[in-house]
Amino acid sequence: MARFLIRRILQGIVVLWLITVAVFGLFFVVPNDVARTLAGRQATPETIALIQHRLGLDQPVWKQYLDFVWRALHGDLGYDYYHQVPVTHIIAQALPITLSLAIGASIIWLVLGVFNGVLSATHPRSLEDRGLTAFSLFFYSMPPFLLGILLLYVFYYQLTLRGVTWFPAGGYVPFAQDPTAWFQHMVLPWITLALLLAATYTRLTRASMLDVLGEDYIRTARSKGITERRVIYRHGLRAALTPVVTQFGIDLGQLVGGAVVTETVFSLPGLGNTAVDAITRQDLPVIIGIVLVASAAVVIANIVVDVAYAALDPRVRLH
Amino acid sequence: MNAQPVATVTASAASAKPIEGRGTWALAWSRLRRDKVAMISLVVILLIVVVAIAAPLVAHVTGHPPNEQYRDIGLSPEGLPRAPNSTFWLGTDDLGRDILVRIAYGARVSLLVGVVATGLTVVVGVLVGLAAGYVGGWLDTVLARVVDVVLSVPFLLVAIALVSVTGPSMTVTVLVIGFFSWASVARIVRGQVLSIREREYVEAARSLGAGSVRIMFVDVLPNVLAPVIVYTTLLVPVVIVTQATLSFLGLGLPPPTADWGGMISSAQNYYTTAWWFVVFPGAALLITTLAFNLFGDGVRDAFDPRLEQQLRR
């Protein structure tokens, strides 16, 4: 197990290193005129050269890369071009917002997805099953930004028109500052993400549960005279959850950099939104920093999932 | 005692049509044809294709070119979009343009990007997967790491960054989507190839003197196509949504080109005053992705009827 873990972690480090090469290459090979933008329209070539020198942009790309890696290994991701704020500081401010979004939404989609999946699988081809399948496919096909706008229309605009001001139009209030306001600002983003992802989980749980319920040991459990409820939840669901847990790990990892649209629609200043801002301003250190953190989240989530899998199923370790 | 029923069966079989061996494709098609939902979805998809092709006709019938701004009759005195009426059947947008005509033209973008980017993804993914699975060794190791990297990168962030650097265009959108999607296809194909290359018929081909390239494309490839086709049909709606998402974030096609994501993006500021501006392009997008997903589900069931049979048990 320890060897498996070490091998996976080393592989993860290689992947992260390759990502830094790829991202760095992409952004630094393409000519950028951020120094010109910073210097303003009236700037002399000397001013631009000075700014380029200060940002280290006059160095050869390979040297900039080595400097970047060296500093990154020391926990320093550089400074943003515009206000000289440390990138780590910007990420530290945005990350809790993205995490509030991801964790809150994940609770809703897990409960909704697994519960609906079990209901579907235990009543195959019934009205409930067909209804739930249609329901999940509907949200599975829904573009995230469209769902966000529709929810805003119904819950913010229509309710506010009727004097119910429970849901704001967007923005973020830290939990420490006002828990109630935090909750109100997070509910619609949570529901948006949760509905989109619950669909996958409903389908996954349904398929996996149907597979498991066909196994011999389920028949054995039933023949022992255990209640159907116990058969389904204790014997069936337990085994059926493995692929769901895997998917959950992967999704959670991807959400760190993947909630861009939800954050944009609801103006949440999380990692995705911060990155989009940085992209429009060509603020390379911030973009690279966020891409790196988001990729690391995916890599770590994958390792955790693999280890959990290997711990559950010894056959995996052989490969 | 037992001989008689056997004889009857033989007799009735002889009088009936001789039993034909049917391949995976014929079987899948016959199953798909009986799937009502899948067939309705296919009809819807074909209708969308017709609308896309006939977009100029829509413009001709309404008399409104897609980029024509009717600032006088298309906007209210306050400068707001007009609700659906007899001139503008689905209303107008923030610049007084006909939403119906723009939806028809937007279908072209969605379908074109959906099909071309998916095609690119599948070709690259299949080639890489075949090479990694069949050749194996160091090539497999290198390709596996590359796949890991591509799947770990936060796709949307890097896609936005790339498009913002290169400038938005249809080619860039297709390339970016293709670049980040081939890895999953490669992974699926590699897994399949690993098991197929050990089969006897591959060995037989090799002992007959067939070269690696011939074995890969003639003996192995046709046998991995079924999962690839299932994945492909389900990938089209994902690509369409991705394209719309890029447009929504302002990185789709340069204006004034009509495309659904871009329309919804500009409608975002008007959702309280002009519902039609969000609802119609949104519905067009949703119906398209839904039709592709329902059809894709049908294709999957047609190739892999295991689950459905289990249910009938």
Side-chain angles (χ1 to χ4, degrees), chain B residues 86-149:
Chain B
S86 57
T87 324
F88 300 99
W89 296 347
L90 298 184
T92 61
D93 69 4
D94 52 337
L95 297 174
R97 295 174 296 195
D98 191 326
I99 288 181
L100 173 68
V101 178
R102 289 182 68 76
I103 287 178
Y105 274 89
R108 299 183 147 199
V109 175
S110 284
L111 290 179
L112 201 63
V113 172
V115 171
V116 176
T118 306
L120 180 71
T121 302
V122 170
V123 169
V124 175
V126 166
L127 288 179
V128 172
L130 265 181
Y134 188 78
V135 179
W138 64 269
L139 187 65
D140 187 24
T141 314
V142 170
L143 289 177
R145 281 303 138 264
V146 176
V147 166
D148 279 351
V149 170

Side-chain angles (χ1 to χ4, degrees), chain A residues 154-172:
Chain A
V154 175
F155 290 99
Y156 158 68
Y157 179 63
Q158 287 296 338
L159 281 187
T160 307
L161 270 189
R162 286 165 178 71
V164 185
T165 50
W166 290 341
F167 303 105
Y172 182 74

Side-chain angles (χ1 to χ4, degrees), chain A residues 207-218 235-237 239-241:
Chain A
S208 163
M209 194 73 183
L210 278 173
D211 264 349
V212 169
L213 287 181
E215 299 273 346
D216 290 338
Y217 74 87
I218 292 295
H235 296 254
L237 187 58
L241 275 185

Side-chain angles (χ1 to χ4, degrees), chain A residues 238-259:
Chain A
R238 209 165 169 175
L241 275 185
T242 318
V244 176
V245 171
T246 311
Q247 184 68 35
F248 182 67
I250 293 169
D251 280 343
L252 214 52
Q254 278 177 347
L255 269 192
V256 170

